[in-house]
Short mmCIF file of all heavy atoms in Angstrom, two decimals:
data_model
loop_
_atom_site.label_atom_id
_atom_site.label_comp_id
_atom_site.label_asym_id
_atom_site.label_seq_id
_atom_site.Cartn_x
_atom_site.Cartn_y
_atom_site.Cartn_z
N PHE A 52 10.82 -6.60 -2.15
CA PHE A 52 9.91 -7.68 -2.60
C PHE A 52 8.49 -7.14 -2.69
O PHE A 52 7.74 -7.44 -3.62
CB PHE A 52 9.93 -8.86 -1.62
CG PHE A 52 11.25 -9.58 -1.49
CD1 PHE A 52 11.52 -10.32 -0.34
CD2 PHE A 52 12.21 -9.52 -2.48
CE1 PHE A 52 12.72 -10.99 -0.20
CE2 PHE A 52 13.43 -10.18 -2.33
CZ PHE A 52 13.68 -10.93 -1.19
N SER A 53 8.13 -6.32 -1.70
CA SER A 53 6.77 -5.77 -1.66
C SER A 53 6.53 -4.86 -2.86
O SER A 53 5.47 -4.89 -3.49
CB SER A 53 6.61 -5.03 -0.34
OG SER A 53 5.44 -4.29 -0.36
N ARG A 54 7.53 -4.04 -3.21
CA ARG A 54 7.39 -3.20 -4.41
C ARG A 54 7.21 -4.09 -5.67
O ARG A 54 6.40 -3.78 -6.53
CB ARG A 54 8.66 -2.34 -4.61
CG ARG A 54 8.84 -1.22 -3.63
CD ARG A 54 7.80 -0.17 -3.69
NE ARG A 54 7.60 0.45 -4.99
CZ ARG A 54 6.66 1.37 -5.22
NH1 ARG A 54 5.84 1.76 -4.27
NH2 ARG A 54 6.53 1.90 -6.42
N ASN A 55 7.97 -5.17 -5.70
CA ASN A 55 7.87 -6.05 -6.87
C ASN A 55 6.49 -6.72 -6.93
O ASN A 55 5.95 -6.93 -8.03
CB ASN A 55 8.98 -7.12 -6.85
CG ASN A 55 10.33 -6.49 -7.19
OD1 ASN A 55 10.38 -5.41 -7.78
ND2 ASN A 55 11.39 -7.13 -6.77
N PHE A 56 5.93 -7.05 -5.77
CA PHE A 56 4.60 -7.61 -5.74
C PHE A 56 3.59 -6.61 -6.32
O PHE A 56 2.74 -6.95 -7.14
CB PHE A 56 4.21 -8.00 -4.30
CG PHE A 56 2.76 -8.37 -4.17
CD1 PHE A 56 2.33 -9.65 -4.44
CD2 PHE A 56 1.82 -7.41 -3.80
CE1 PHE A 56 0.99 -9.99 -4.36
CE2 PHE A 56 0.49 -7.75 -3.70
CZ PHE A 56 0.06 -9.03 -3.98
N LEU A 57 3.71 -5.37 -5.90
CA LEU A 57 2.84 -4.31 -6.42
C LEU A 57 2.90 -4.26 -7.95
O LEU A 57 1.86 -4.24 -8.63
CB LEU A 57 3.27 -2.96 -5.82
CG LEU A 57 2.69 -1.70 -6.43
CD1 LEU A 57 1.21 -1.57 -6.11
CD2 LEU A 57 3.43 -0.45 -5.93
N LEU A 58 4.11 -4.25 -8.49
CA LEU A 58 4.27 -4.11 -9.94
C LEU A 58 3.80 -5.37 -10.65
O LEU A 58 3.23 -5.28 -11.75
CB LEU A 58 5.72 -3.79 -10.27
CG LEU A 58 6.26 -2.51 -9.59
CD1 LEU A 58 7.71 -2.28 -9.94
CD2 LEU A 58 5.42 -1.29 -9.94
N GLU A 59 3.98 -6.53 -10.02
CA GLU A 59 3.50 -7.78 -10.62
C GLU A 59 1.97 -7.75 -10.71
O GLU A 59 1.39 -8.18 -11.71
CB GLU A 59 3.97 -8.95 -9.75
CG GLU A 59 3.54 -10.33 -10.21
CD GLU A 59 4.05 -10.69 -11.59
OE1 GLU A 59 4.99 -10.03 -12.08
OE2 GLU A 59 3.49 -11.61 -12.19
N ALA A 60 1.33 -7.23 -9.67
CA ALA A 60 -0.14 -7.12 -9.69
C ALA A 60 -0.59 -6.21 -10.84
O ALA A 60 -1.60 -6.49 -11.51
CB ALA A 60 -0.64 -6.60 -8.35
N VAL A 61 0.13 -5.13 -11.06
CA VAL A 61 -0.21 -4.22 -12.16
C VAL A 61 -0.06 -4.97 -13.51
O VAL A 61 -0.91 -4.84 -14.39
CB VAL A 61 0.71 -2.97 -12.13
CG1 VAL A 61 0.53 -2.11 -13.38
CG2 VAL A 61 0.43 -2.16 -10.87
N ARG A 62 0.98 -5.77 -13.63
CA ARG A 62 1.17 -6.53 -14.87
C ARG A 62 0.04 -7.56 -15.06
O ARG A 62 -0.47 -7.71 -16.18
CB ARG A 62 2.52 -7.28 -14.83
CG ARG A 62 3.68 -6.35 -15.05
CD ARG A 62 5.00 -7.12 -15.25
NE ARG A 62 6.08 -6.17 -15.07
CZ ARG A 62 6.78 -6.02 -13.95
NH1 ARG A 62 6.56 -6.78 -12.91
NH2 ARG A 62 7.72 -5.08 -13.87
N ILE A 63 -0.33 -8.25 -13.97
CA ILE A 63 -1.39 -9.26 -14.08
C ILE A 63 -2.69 -8.61 -14.58
O ILE A 63 -3.32 -9.09 -15.52
CB ILE A 63 -1.64 -9.94 -12.70
CG1 ILE A 63 -0.44 -10.83 -12.34
CG2 ILE A 63 -2.93 -10.75 -12.69
CD1 ILE A 63 -0.48 -11.36 -10.89
N ALA A 64 -3.05 -7.48 -13.98
CA ALA A 64 -4.29 -6.81 -14.39
C ALA A 64 -4.15 -6.22 -15.80
O ALA A 64 -5.07 -6.37 -16.63
CB ALA A 64 -4.64 -5.72 -13.38
N GLY A 65 -3.00 -5.62 -16.07
CA GLY A 65 -2.79 -5.00 -17.40
C GLY A 65 -2.86 -6.04 -18.51
O GLY A 65 -3.39 -5.76 -19.60
N ALA A 66 -2.38 -7.24 -18.23
CA ALA A 66 -2.36 -8.30 -19.27
C ALA A 66 -3.77 -8.74 -19.64
O ALA A 66 -3.98 -9.31 -20.69
CB ALA A 66 -1.56 -9.49 -18.77
N THR A 67 -4.75 -8.47 -18.75
CA THR A 67 -6.13 -8.87 -19.07
C THR A 67 -6.92 -7.71 -19.67
O THR A 67 -8.12 -7.80 -19.87
CB THR A 67 -6.89 -9.37 -17.84
OG1 THR A 67 -7.10 -8.28 -16.95
CG2 THR A 67 -6.13 -10.48 -17.13
N GLY A 68 -6.24 -6.58 -19.91
CA GLY A 68 -6.90 -5.45 -20.56
C GLY A 68 -7.31 -4.32 -19.63
O GLY A 68 -7.90 -3.32 -20.08
N VAL A 69 -7.01 -4.43 -18.34
CA VAL A 69 -7.34 -3.32 -17.41
C VAL A 69 -6.48 -2.12 -17.78
O VAL A 69 -5.27 -2.24 -18.00
CB VAL A 69 -7.11 -3.76 -15.95
CG1 VAL A 69 -7.27 -2.57 -15.01
CG2 VAL A 69 -8.07 -4.88 -15.56
N ARG A 70 -7.14 -0.94 -17.83
CA ARG A 70 -6.42 0.26 -18.22
C ARG A 70 -6.61 1.39 -17.21
O ARG A 70 -6.33 2.56 -17.50
CB ARG A 70 -6.88 0.76 -19.61
CG ARG A 70 -6.52 -0.23 -20.72
CD ARG A 70 -5.00 -0.28 -20.93
NE ARG A 70 -4.63 -1.23 -22.00
CZ ARG A 70 -4.23 -2.48 -21.76
NH1 ARG A 70 -4.16 -2.95 -20.53
NH2 ARG A 70 -3.90 -3.27 -22.77
N GLN A 71 -7.12 1.05 -16.00
CA GLN A 71 -7.31 2.05 -14.94
C GLN A 71 -6.72 1.45 -13.66
O GLN A 71 -7.14 0.36 -13.24
CB GLN A 71 -8.78 2.35 -14.71
CG GLN A 71 -9.52 2.77 -15.98
CD GLN A 71 -10.94 3.19 -15.64
OE1 GLN A 71 -11.21 4.37 -15.44
NE2 GLN A 71 -11.86 2.25 -15.56
N PHE A 72 -5.79 2.18 -13.06
CA PHE A 72 -5.07 1.66 -11.89
C PHE A 72 -5.19 2.66 -10.74
O PHE A 72 -4.96 3.86 -10.94
CB PHE A 72 -3.59 1.43 -12.25
CG PHE A 72 -3.43 0.42 -13.34
CD1 PHE A 72 -3.52 0.81 -14.68
CD2 PHE A 72 -3.22 -0.93 -13.04
CE1 PHE A 72 -3.41 -0.13 -15.69
CE2 PHE A 72 -3.12 -1.86 -14.05
CZ PHE A 72 -3.21 -1.47 -15.38
N ILE A 73 -5.57 2.15 -9.58
CA ILE A 73 -5.77 3.01 -8.41
C ILE A 73 -4.88 2.47 -7.31
O ILE A 73 -5.10 1.37 -6.79
CB ILE A 73 -7.25 2.99 -7.97
CG1 ILE A 73 -8.16 3.43 -9.13
CG2 ILE A 73 -7.46 3.87 -6.76
CD1 ILE A 73 -9.65 3.15 -8.87
N ASP A 74 -3.86 3.24 -6.97
CA ASP A 74 -2.88 2.78 -5.99
C ASP A 74 -3.18 3.46 -4.65
O ASP A 74 -2.85 4.63 -4.46
CB ASP A 74 -1.47 3.11 -6.50
CG ASP A 74 -0.40 2.44 -5.66
OD1 ASP A 74 -0.70 1.46 -4.95
OD2 ASP A 74 0.77 2.89 -5.72
N LEU A 75 -3.82 2.71 -3.76
CA LEU A 75 -4.24 3.28 -2.47
C LEU A 75 -3.13 3.13 -1.45
O LEU A 75 -2.62 2.02 -1.23
CB LEU A 75 -5.52 2.58 -1.98
CG LEU A 75 -6.74 2.68 -2.89
CD1 LEU A 75 -7.96 2.02 -2.23
CD2 LEU A 75 -7.06 4.14 -3.22
N GLY A 76 -2.76 4.22 -0.80
CA GLY A 76 -1.62 4.21 0.12
C GLY A 76 -0.35 4.05 -0.69
O GLY A 76 0.45 3.15 -0.47
N SER A 77 -0.19 4.96 -1.66
CA SER A 77 0.83 4.77 -2.71
C SER A 77 2.26 5.02 -2.22
O SER A 77 3.21 4.52 -2.83
CB SER A 77 0.52 5.71 -3.88
OG SER A 77 0.39 7.04 -3.42
N GLY A 78 2.43 5.78 -1.16
CA GLY A 78 3.76 6.02 -0.62
C GLY A 78 4.53 7.08 -1.40
O GLY A 78 4.11 7.55 -2.45
N ILE A 79 5.67 7.47 -0.83
CA ILE A 79 6.57 8.43 -1.48
C ILE A 79 7.02 7.79 -2.80
O ILE A 79 7.44 6.62 -2.81
CB ILE A 79 7.75 8.76 -0.55
CG1 ILE A 79 7.21 9.53 0.68
CG2 ILE A 79 8.81 9.58 -1.29
CD1 ILE A 79 8.18 9.71 1.81
N PRO A 80 6.93 8.51 -3.92
CA PRO A 80 7.20 7.88 -5.22
C PRO A 80 8.56 7.20 -5.29
O PRO A 80 9.57 7.72 -4.83
CB PRO A 80 7.14 9.07 -6.21
CG PRO A 80 6.29 10.07 -5.54
CD PRO A 80 6.53 9.93 -4.07
N THR A 81 8.55 5.98 -5.81
CA THR A 81 9.72 5.13 -5.98
C THR A 81 9.68 4.59 -7.39
O THR A 81 8.61 4.20 -7.85
CB THR A 81 9.64 3.94 -4.99
OG1 THR A 81 9.56 4.45 -3.65
CG2 THR A 81 10.83 3.02 -5.10
N SER A 82 10.81 4.56 -8.07
CA SER A 82 10.81 4.04 -9.43
C SER A 82 11.38 2.63 -9.47
O SER A 82 12.36 2.36 -8.76
CB SER A 82 11.64 4.97 -10.32
OG SER A 82 11.55 4.58 -11.66
N PRO A 83 10.81 1.71 -10.29
CA PRO A 83 9.66 1.94 -11.12
C PRO A 83 8.38 1.99 -10.29
O PRO A 83 8.29 1.38 -9.23
CB PRO A 83 9.64 0.74 -12.07
CG PRO A 83 10.41 -0.32 -11.37
CD PRO A 83 11.39 0.34 -10.48
N ASN A 84 7.43 2.78 -10.79
CA ASN A 84 6.17 2.93 -10.07
C ASN A 84 5.01 2.42 -10.95
O ASN A 84 5.22 2.02 -12.11
CB ASN A 84 5.97 4.41 -9.71
CG ASN A 84 5.28 4.56 -8.34
OD1 ASN A 84 4.57 3.64 -7.91
ND2 ASN A 84 5.50 5.67 -7.70
N VAL A 85 3.81 2.46 -10.38
CA VAL A 85 2.65 1.86 -11.04
C VAL A 85 2.47 2.41 -12.46
O VAL A 85 2.26 1.65 -13.42
CB VAL A 85 1.38 2.09 -10.18
CG1 VAL A 85 0.12 1.71 -10.95
CG2 VAL A 85 1.49 1.28 -8.89
N HIS A 86 2.57 3.72 -12.63
CA HIS A 86 2.30 4.28 -13.96
C HIS A 86 3.35 3.85 -14.98
O HIS A 86 3.04 3.68 -16.15
CB HIS A 86 2.17 5.83 -13.90
CG HIS A 86 3.44 6.54 -13.67
ND1 HIS A 86 4.06 6.61 -12.44
CD2 HIS A 86 4.26 7.24 -14.52
CE1 HIS A 86 5.17 7.31 -12.54
NE2 HIS A 86 5.31 7.71 -13.78
N GLU A 87 4.59 3.67 -14.51
CA GLU A 87 5.63 3.26 -15.46
C GLU A 87 5.34 1.85 -16.00
O GLU A 87 5.52 1.59 -17.20
CB GLU A 87 7.01 3.30 -14.78
CG GLU A 87 7.43 4.73 -14.44
CD GLU A 87 8.64 4.75 -13.52
OE1 GLU A 87 9.75 4.59 -14.03
OE2 GLU A 87 8.47 4.95 -12.30
N VAL A 88 4.90 0.96 -15.14
CA VAL A 88 4.58 -0.40 -15.57
C VAL A 88 3.27 -0.40 -16.40
O VAL A 88 3.21 -1.01 -17.46
CB VAL A 88 4.48 -1.35 -14.36
CG1 VAL A 88 3.98 -2.72 -14.78
CG2 VAL A 88 5.84 -1.46 -13.70
N ALA A 89 2.27 0.33 -15.92
CA ALA A 89 0.99 0.35 -16.67
C ALA A 89 1.21 0.94 -18.06
O ALA A 89 0.60 0.47 -19.04
CB ALA A 89 -0.04 1.19 -15.90
N HIS A 90 2.09 1.93 -18.17
CA HIS A 90 2.29 2.59 -19.46
C HIS A 90 3.17 1.79 -20.42
O HIS A 90 3.23 2.10 -21.60
CB HIS A 90 2.85 4.00 -19.24
CG HIS A 90 1.81 4.93 -18.68
ND1 HIS A 90 2.09 6.21 -18.26
CD2 HIS A 90 0.47 4.75 -18.48
CE1 HIS A 90 0.97 6.77 -17.81
NE2 HIS A 90 -0.01 5.91 -17.92
N GLU A 91 3.81 0.73 -19.91
CA GLU A 91 4.54 -0.17 -20.83
C GLU A 91 3.54 -0.82 -21.78
O GLU A 91 3.83 -1.05 -22.95
CB GLU A 91 5.26 -1.27 -20.05
CG GLU A 91 6.54 -0.82 -19.38
CD GLU A 91 7.06 -1.88 -18.39
OE1 GLU A 91 6.57 -3.03 -18.39
OE2 GLU A 91 7.97 -1.52 -17.62
N THR A 92 2.36 -1.13 -21.27
CA THR A 92 1.32 -1.77 -22.09
C THR A 92 0.52 -0.74 -22.85
O THR A 92 0.20 -0.93 -24.03
CB THR A 92 0.36 -2.59 -21.20
OG1 THR A 92 1.14 -3.39 -20.34
CG2 THR A 92 -0.58 -3.45 -22.01
#
Side-chain angles (χ1 to χ4, degrees):
F52 297 158
S53 170
R54 289 295 305 177
N55 287 339
F56 170 84
L57 167 71
L58 302 179
E59 179 61 16
V61 171
R62 285 190 195 99
I63 290 171
T67 69
V69 172
R70 294 292 180 264
Q71 306 185 94
F72 298 84
I73 303 168
D74 191 19
L75 299 184
S77 54
I79 293 169
T81 301
S82 186
N84 216 335
V85 169
H86 72 284
E87 293 168 80
V88 173
H90 288 173
E91 282 169 12
T92 311

